[in-house]
Short mmCIF file of all heavy atoms in Angstrom, two decimals:
data_model
loop_
_atom_site.label_atom_id
_atom_site.label_comp_id
_atom_site.label_asym_id
_atom_site.label_seq_id
_atom_site.Cartn_x
_atom_site.Cartn_y
_atom_site.Cartn_z
N LEU A 50 1.89 -21.63 -7.44
CA LEU A 50 3.25 -21.11 -7.29
C LEU A 50 3.28 -19.61 -7.01
O LEU A 50 4.13 -19.11 -6.28
CB LEU A 50 4.08 -21.41 -8.54
CG LEU A 50 4.54 -22.85 -8.74
CD1 LEU A 50 5.31 -22.97 -10.05
CD2 LEU A 50 5.40 -23.31 -7.59
N GLY A 51 2.33 -18.88 -7.60
CA GLY A 51 2.30 -17.44 -7.41
C GLY A 51 2.05 -17.02 -5.98
O GLY A 51 2.27 -15.86 -5.61
N SER A 52 1.61 -17.97 -5.14
CA SER A 52 1.33 -17.65 -3.74
C SER A 52 2.57 -17.19 -2.99
O SER A 52 2.45 -16.62 -1.89
CB SER A 52 0.73 -18.87 -3.03
OG SER A 52 -0.53 -19.21 -3.59
N VAL A 53 3.74 -17.41 -3.56
CA VAL A 53 4.97 -16.99 -2.88
C VAL A 53 5.04 -15.47 -2.72
O VAL A 53 5.79 -14.97 -1.88
CB VAL A 53 6.23 -17.49 -3.64
CG1 VAL A 53 6.27 -19.00 -3.65
CG2 VAL A 53 6.27 -16.94 -5.06
N ILE A 54 4.25 -14.72 -3.50
CA ILE A 54 4.29 -13.26 -3.39
C ILE A 54 3.33 -12.74 -2.32
O ILE A 54 3.34 -11.54 -2.02
CB ILE A 54 3.96 -12.58 -4.74
CG1 ILE A 54 2.47 -12.76 -5.08
CG2 ILE A 54 4.86 -13.09 -5.84
CD1 ILE A 54 2.02 -11.91 -6.26
N LEU A 55 2.50 -13.60 -1.77
CA LEU A 55 1.48 -13.15 -0.82
C LEU A 55 2.01 -13.12 0.60
O LEU A 55 2.80 -13.98 1.00
CB LEU A 55 0.27 -14.09 -0.87
CG LEU A 55 -0.52 -14.14 -2.18
CD1 LEU A 55 -1.65 -15.16 -2.05
CD2 LEU A 55 -1.08 -12.77 -2.54
N PRO A 56 1.56 -12.14 1.40
CA PRO A 56 1.89 -12.14 2.82
C PRO A 56 1.30 -13.37 3.50
O PRO A 56 0.27 -13.91 3.06
CB PRO A 56 1.22 -10.86 3.34
CG PRO A 56 1.02 -10.00 2.14
CD PRO A 56 0.79 -10.96 1.00
N THR A 57 1.94 -13.81 4.55
CA THR A 57 1.49 -15.01 5.27
C THR A 57 0.04 -14.88 5.73
O THR A 57 -0.74 -15.84 5.65
CB THR A 57 2.40 -15.29 6.47
OG1 THR A 57 3.75 -15.43 6.02
CG2 THR A 57 1.97 -16.55 7.20
N ALA A 58 -0.32 -13.69 6.21
CA ALA A 58 -1.69 -13.49 6.71
C ALA A 58 -2.73 -13.69 5.60
O ALA A 58 -3.80 -14.26 5.84
CB ALA A 58 -1.82 -12.09 7.30
N THR A 59 -2.40 -13.27 4.39
CA THR A 59 -3.32 -13.44 3.26
C THR A 59 -3.45 -14.91 2.88
O THR A 59 -4.55 -15.39 2.60
CB THR A 59 -2.84 -12.62 2.05
OG1 THR A 59 -2.68 -11.26 2.42
CG2 THR A 59 -3.84 -12.71 0.90
N VAL A 60 -2.32 -15.61 2.88
CA VAL A 60 -2.35 -17.04 2.57
C VAL A 60 -3.20 -17.78 3.60
O VAL A 60 -3.99 -18.66 3.25
CB VAL A 60 -0.91 -17.61 2.56
CG1 VAL A 60 -0.93 -19.13 2.46
CG2 VAL A 60 -0.12 -17.02 1.41
N THR A 61 -3.08 -17.41 4.86
CA THR A 61 -3.86 -18.05 5.92
C THR A 61 -5.35 -17.79 5.71
O THR A 61 -6.18 -18.69 5.89
CB THR A 61 -3.42 -17.53 7.30
OG1 THR A 61 -2.03 -17.80 7.48
CG2 THR A 61 -4.21 -18.19 8.41
N LYS A 62 -5.70 -16.57 5.32
CA LYS A 62 -7.11 -16.26 5.06
C LYS A 62 -7.65 -17.12 3.92
O LYS A 62 -8.77 -17.63 3.98
CB LYS A 62 -7.26 -14.78 4.70
CG LYS A 62 -7.24 -13.82 5.87
CD LYS A 62 -7.56 -12.41 5.41
CE LYS A 62 -7.64 -11.44 6.56
NZ LYS A 62 -7.98 -10.07 6.10
N LEU A 63 -6.86 -17.25 2.86
CA LEU A 63 -7.29 -18.07 1.74
C LEU A 63 -7.50 -19.51 2.17
O LEU A 63 -8.49 -20.16 1.80
CB LEU A 63 -6.25 -18.02 0.62
CG LEU A 63 -6.20 -16.75 -0.24
CD1 LEU A 63 -5.00 -16.78 -1.15
CD2 LEU A 63 -7.48 -16.62 -1.05
N HIS A 64 -6.57 -20.02 2.98
CA HIS A 64 -6.66 -21.40 3.45
C HIS A 64 -7.91 -21.61 4.30
O HIS A 64 -8.56 -22.66 4.22
CB HIS A 64 -5.42 -21.77 4.25
CG HIS A 64 -5.48 -23.14 4.85
ND1 HIS A 64 -5.37 -24.29 4.09
CD2 HIS A 64 -5.65 -23.55 6.14
CE1 HIS A 64 -5.47 -25.34 4.88
NE2 HIS A 64 -5.64 -24.92 6.11
N ASN A 65 -8.25 -20.61 5.11
CA ASN A 65 -9.39 -20.74 6.01
C ASN A 65 -10.72 -20.31 5.38
O ASN A 65 -11.76 -20.36 6.04
CB ASN A 65 -9.15 -19.92 7.28
CG ASN A 65 -8.00 -20.46 8.09
OD1 ASN A 65 -7.71 -21.65 8.07
ND2 ASN A 65 -7.32 -19.58 8.82
N GLY A 66 -10.66 -19.87 4.12
CA GLY A 66 -11.88 -19.44 3.45
C GLY A 66 -12.44 -18.14 3.99
O GLY A 66 -13.64 -17.88 3.90
N GLU A 67 -11.56 -17.27 4.54
CA GLU A 67 -12.01 -16.01 5.13
C GLU A 67 -12.09 -14.91 4.06
O GLU A 67 -11.46 -14.99 3.01
CB GLU A 67 -11.03 -15.57 6.23
CG GLU A 67 -10.92 -16.57 7.38
CD GLU A 67 -9.84 -16.17 8.37
OE1 GLU A 67 -9.34 -15.03 8.28
OE2 GLU A 67 -9.48 -17.01 9.22
N ALA A 68 -12.88 -13.87 4.35
CA ALA A 68 -13.04 -12.75 3.43
C ALA A 68 -11.73 -11.97 3.32
O ALA A 68 -11.01 -11.80 4.30
CB ALA A 68 -14.16 -11.83 3.91
N LEU A 69 -11.44 -11.49 2.11
CA LEU A 69 -10.23 -10.72 1.85
C LEU A 69 -10.55 -9.24 1.72
O LEU A 69 -11.64 -8.86 1.28
CB LEU A 69 -9.55 -11.21 0.57
CG LEU A 69 -9.15 -12.68 0.49
CD1 LEU A 69 -8.56 -12.98 -0.88
CD2 LEU A 69 -8.16 -13.05 1.58
N SER A 70 -9.58 -8.42 2.07
CA SER A 70 -9.73 -6.98 1.86
C SER A 70 -9.56 -6.68 0.37
O SER A 70 -9.12 -7.53 -0.41
CB SER A 70 -8.68 -6.22 2.67
OG SER A 70 -7.38 -6.49 2.16
N ASP A 71 -9.89 -5.46 -0.04
CA ASP A 71 -9.74 -5.09 -1.44
C ASP A 71 -8.28 -5.19 -1.88
O ASP A 71 -7.99 -5.64 -3.00
CB ASP A 71 -10.24 -3.66 -1.67
CG ASP A 71 -11.76 -3.55 -1.53
OD1 ASP A 71 -12.43 -4.60 -1.63
OD2 ASP A 71 -12.26 -2.43 -1.32
N ALA A 72 -7.37 -4.78 -1.01
CA ALA A 72 -5.94 -4.86 -1.34
C ALA A 72 -5.51 -6.31 -1.50
O ALA A 72 -4.75 -6.64 -2.43
CB ALA A 72 -5.11 -4.18 -0.25
N GLU A 73 -5.99 -7.17 -0.62
CA GLU A 73 -5.65 -8.59 -0.71
C GLU A 73 -6.23 -9.22 -1.98
O GLU A 73 -5.59 -10.06 -2.62
CB GLU A 73 -6.14 -9.32 0.53
CG GLU A 73 -5.35 -8.97 1.79
CD GLU A 73 -5.98 -9.53 3.05
OE1 GLU A 73 -7.22 -9.66 3.09
OE2 GLU A 73 -5.23 -9.83 4.00
N LYS A 74 -7.43 -8.81 -2.35
CA LYS A 74 -8.04 -9.32 -3.58
C LYS A 74 -7.21 -8.95 -4.79
O LYS A 74 -7.03 -9.75 -5.71
CB LYS A 74 -9.47 -8.79 -3.72
CG LYS A 74 -10.46 -9.38 -2.74
CD LYS A 74 -11.84 -8.76 -2.93
CE LYS A 74 -12.83 -9.32 -1.92
NZ LYS A 74 -14.16 -8.68 -2.05
N ARG A 75 -6.69 -7.71 -4.79
CA ARG A 75 -5.84 -7.28 -5.92
C ARG A 75 -4.58 -8.11 -5.98
O ARG A 75 -4.11 -8.48 -7.07
CB ARG A 75 -5.50 -5.79 -5.78
CG ARG A 75 -6.66 -4.85 -6.08
CD ARG A 75 -6.17 -3.42 -6.25
NE ARG A 75 -5.62 -2.88 -5.02
CZ ARG A 75 -6.34 -2.25 -4.09
NH1 ARG A 75 -7.64 -2.09 -4.26
NH2 ARG A 75 -5.75 -1.76 -3.00
N GLN A 76 -4.01 -8.43 -4.83
CA GLN A 76 -2.81 -9.26 -4.79
C GLN A 76 -3.09 -10.66 -5.33
O GLN A 76 -2.31 -11.21 -6.10
CB GLN A 76 -2.28 -9.33 -3.37
CG GLN A 76 -1.74 -8.02 -2.83
CD GLN A 76 -1.45 -8.07 -1.35
OE1 GLN A 76 -1.70 -9.07 -0.69
NE2 GLN A 76 -0.92 -6.98 -0.80
N VAL A 77 -4.22 -11.21 -4.93
CA VAL A 77 -4.60 -12.55 -5.38
C VAL A 77 -4.86 -12.55 -6.88
O VAL A 77 -4.52 -13.52 -7.59
CB VAL A 77 -5.84 -13.05 -4.61
CG1 VAL A 77 -6.38 -14.35 -5.22
CG2 VAL A 77 -5.49 -13.27 -3.14
N ASP A 78 -5.44 -11.45 -7.39
CA ASP A 78 -5.70 -11.36 -8.83
C ASP A 78 -4.42 -11.36 -9.66
O ASP A 78 -4.44 -11.67 -10.85
CB ASP A 78 -6.50 -10.08 -9.14
CG ASP A 78 -7.95 -10.17 -8.67
OD1 ASP A 78 -8.42 -11.30 -8.42
OD2 ASP A 78 -8.58 -9.11 -8.54
N GLU A 79 -3.29 -11.02 -9.03
CA GLU A 79 -2.02 -10.99 -9.75
C GLU A 79 -1.37 -12.37 -9.84
O GLU A 79 -0.41 -12.56 -10.59
CB GLU A 79 -1.04 -10.04 -9.03
CG GLU A 79 -1.47 -8.58 -9.05
CD GLU A 79 -0.54 -7.72 -8.20
OE1 GLU A 79 0.41 -8.28 -7.63
OE2 GLU A 79 -0.77 -6.50 -8.12
N LEU A 80 -1.88 -13.33 -9.09
CA LEU A 80 -1.23 -14.64 -9.00
C LEU A 80 -1.09 -15.35 -10.35
O LEU A 80 -0.03 -15.90 -10.64
CB LEU A 80 -1.96 -15.53 -8.00
CG LEU A 80 -1.98 -15.05 -6.55
CD1 LEU A 80 -2.61 -16.10 -5.65
CD2 LEU A 80 -0.56 -14.74 -6.06
N PRO A 81 -2.15 -15.41 -11.19
CA PRO A 81 -1.99 -16.12 -12.46
C PRO A 81 -0.84 -15.60 -13.31
O PRO A 81 -0.10 -16.38 -13.91
CB PRO A 81 -3.35 -15.90 -13.15
CG PRO A 81 -4.31 -15.72 -12.02
CD PRO A 81 -3.54 -14.95 -10.98
N ALA A 82 -0.67 -14.27 -13.37
CA ALA A 82 0.40 -13.70 -14.17
C ALA A 82 1.76 -14.07 -13.60
O ALA A 82 2.69 -14.40 -14.35
CB ALA A 82 0.26 -12.18 -14.24
N VAL A 83 1.89 -14.03 -12.28
CA VAL A 83 3.16 -14.39 -11.64
C VAL A 83 3.48 -15.86 -11.91
O VAL A 83 4.62 -16.22 -12.25
CB VAL A 83 3.09 -14.13 -10.12
CG1 VAL A 83 4.35 -14.66 -9.43
CG2 VAL A 83 2.92 -12.65 -9.85
N THR A 84 2.47 -16.71 -11.76
CA THR A 84 2.66 -18.14 -11.98
C THR A 84 3.08 -18.42 -13.41
O THR A 84 3.99 -19.20 -13.67
CB THR A 84 1.37 -18.91 -11.66
OG1 THR A 84 0.99 -18.66 -10.30
CG2 THR A 84 1.56 -20.39 -11.88
N GLU A 85 2.41 -17.77 -14.36
CA GLU A 85 2.73 -17.98 -15.77
C GLU A 85 4.16 -17.59 -16.07
O GLU A 85 4.86 -18.25 -16.84
CB GLU A 85 1.74 -17.18 -16.63
CG GLU A 85 1.77 -17.55 -18.12
CD GLU A 85 2.83 -16.77 -18.89
OE1 GLU A 85 3.17 -15.65 -18.47
OE2 GLU A 85 3.33 -17.29 -19.91
N GLN A 86 4.64 -16.51 -15.44
CA GLN A 86 6.02 -16.08 -15.65
C GLN A 86 7.01 -17.09 -15.10
O GLN A 86 8.06 -17.34 -15.69
CB GLN A 86 6.23 -14.72 -14.98
CG GLN A 86 5.49 -13.58 -15.67
CD GLN A 86 5.50 -12.30 -14.85
OE1 GLN A 86 6.16 -12.22 -13.82
NE2 GLN A 86 4.77 -11.29 -15.30
N LEU A 87 6.67 -17.70 -13.96
CA LEU A 87 7.54 -18.71 -13.38
C LEU A 87 7.62 -19.95 -14.27
O LEU A 87 8.69 -20.50 -14.52
CB LEU A 87 7.04 -19.09 -11.99
CG LEU A 87 7.17 -18.02 -10.89
CD1 LEU A 87 6.44 -18.46 -9.64
CD2 LEU A 87 8.64 -17.77 -10.58
N VAL A 88 6.46 -20.38 -14.76
CA VAL A 88 6.40 -21.59 -15.59
C VAL A 88 7.08 -21.36 -16.94
O VAL A 88 7.57 -22.30 -17.56
CB VAL A 88 4.94 -22.04 -15.77
CG1 VAL A 88 4.84 -23.23 -16.73
CG2 VAL A 88 4.34 -22.42 -14.42
N ALA A 89 7.12 -20.11 -17.39
CA ALA A 89 7.74 -19.80 -18.68
C ALA A 89 9.20 -20.21 -18.72
O ALA A 89 9.77 -20.38 -19.81
CB ALA A 89 7.60 -18.31 -18.98
N ASN A 90 9.82 -20.40 -17.55
CA ASN A 90 11.23 -20.79 -17.51
C ASN A 90 11.44 -22.27 -17.75
O ASN A 90 12.59 -22.72 -17.87
CB ASN A 90 11.82 -20.42 -16.14
CG ASN A 90 11.85 -18.92 -15.90
OD1 ASN A 90 12.26 -18.18 -16.77
ND2 ASN A 90 11.40 -18.49 -14.73
N ILE A 91 10.37 -23.04 -17.81
CA ILE A 91 10.48 -24.49 -17.99
C ILE A 91 10.11 -24.85 -19.43
O ILE A 91 9.01 -24.52 -19.88
CB ILE A 91 9.55 -25.24 -17.01
CG1 ILE A 91 9.83 -24.80 -15.57
CG2 ILE A 91 9.74 -26.75 -17.15
CD1 ILE A 91 8.88 -25.41 -14.56
N PRO A 92 10.99 -25.51 -20.17
CA PRO A 92 10.68 -25.86 -21.56
C PRO A 92 9.60 -26.93 -21.67
O PRO A 92 9.35 -27.68 -20.73
CB PRO A 92 12.02 -26.38 -22.10
CG PRO A 92 12.74 -26.87 -20.89
CD PRO A 92 12.33 -25.96 -19.76
N ARG A 93 8.94 -26.95 -22.83
CA ARG A 93 7.95 -27.97 -23.19
C ARG A 93 6.69 -27.91 -22.33
O ARG A 93 5.99 -28.91 -22.18
CB ARG A 93 8.56 -29.38 -23.10
CG ARG A 93 9.72 -29.61 -24.05
CD ARG A 93 10.25 -31.03 -23.94
NE ARG A 93 11.38 -31.23 -24.83
CZ ARG A 93 11.29 -31.66 -26.08
NH1 ARG A 93 10.10 -31.90 -26.60
NH2 ARG A 93 12.37 -31.82 -26.82
N LEU A 94 6.39 -26.76 -21.78
CA LEU A 94 5.17 -26.61 -20.99
C LEU A 94 4.22 -25.58 -21.61
O LEU A 94 3.48 -24.90 -20.91
CB LEU A 94 5.49 -26.20 -19.55
CG LEU A 94 6.04 -27.28 -18.64
CD1 LEU A 94 6.21 -26.75 -17.22
CD2 LEU A 94 5.14 -28.51 -18.62
N ASP A 95 4.25 -25.48 -22.94
CA ASP A 95 3.41 -24.48 -23.62
C ASP A 95 1.94 -24.70 -23.34
O ASP A 95 1.19 -23.73 -23.13
CB ASP A 95 3.67 -24.53 -25.12
CG ASP A 95 5.07 -24.04 -25.49
OD1 ASP A 95 5.69 -23.37 -24.64
OD2 ASP A 95 5.54 -24.35 -26.61
N ASP A 96 1.48 -25.95 -23.35
CA ASP A 96 0.06 -26.23 -23.12
C ASP A 96 -0.33 -25.89 -21.68
O ASP A 96 -1.42 -25.37 -21.43
CB ASP A 96 -0.26 -27.69 -23.41
CG ASP A 96 -0.19 -28.02 -24.90
OD1 ASP A 96 -0.32 -27.07 -25.70
OD2 ASP A 96 -0.03 -29.20 -25.25
N VAL A 97 0.56 -26.20 -20.75
CA VAL A 97 0.29 -25.86 -19.34
C VAL A 97 0.24 -24.35 -19.17
O VAL A 97 -0.64 -23.81 -18.48
CB VAL A 97 1.37 -26.47 -18.43
CG1 VAL A 97 1.19 -25.96 -17.00
CG2 VAL A 97 1.29 -28.00 -18.45
#
């Protein structure tokens, strides 16, 4: 879900297994936190 914050070009690189720039790597590293924040809005998903 956190992929919604990524530029299209970065998503395409991830899909194709291409190397990422340092800036893109930092963006990808932020995905778990963004995803967790999104899921926090749904009740009964503490284990997830």
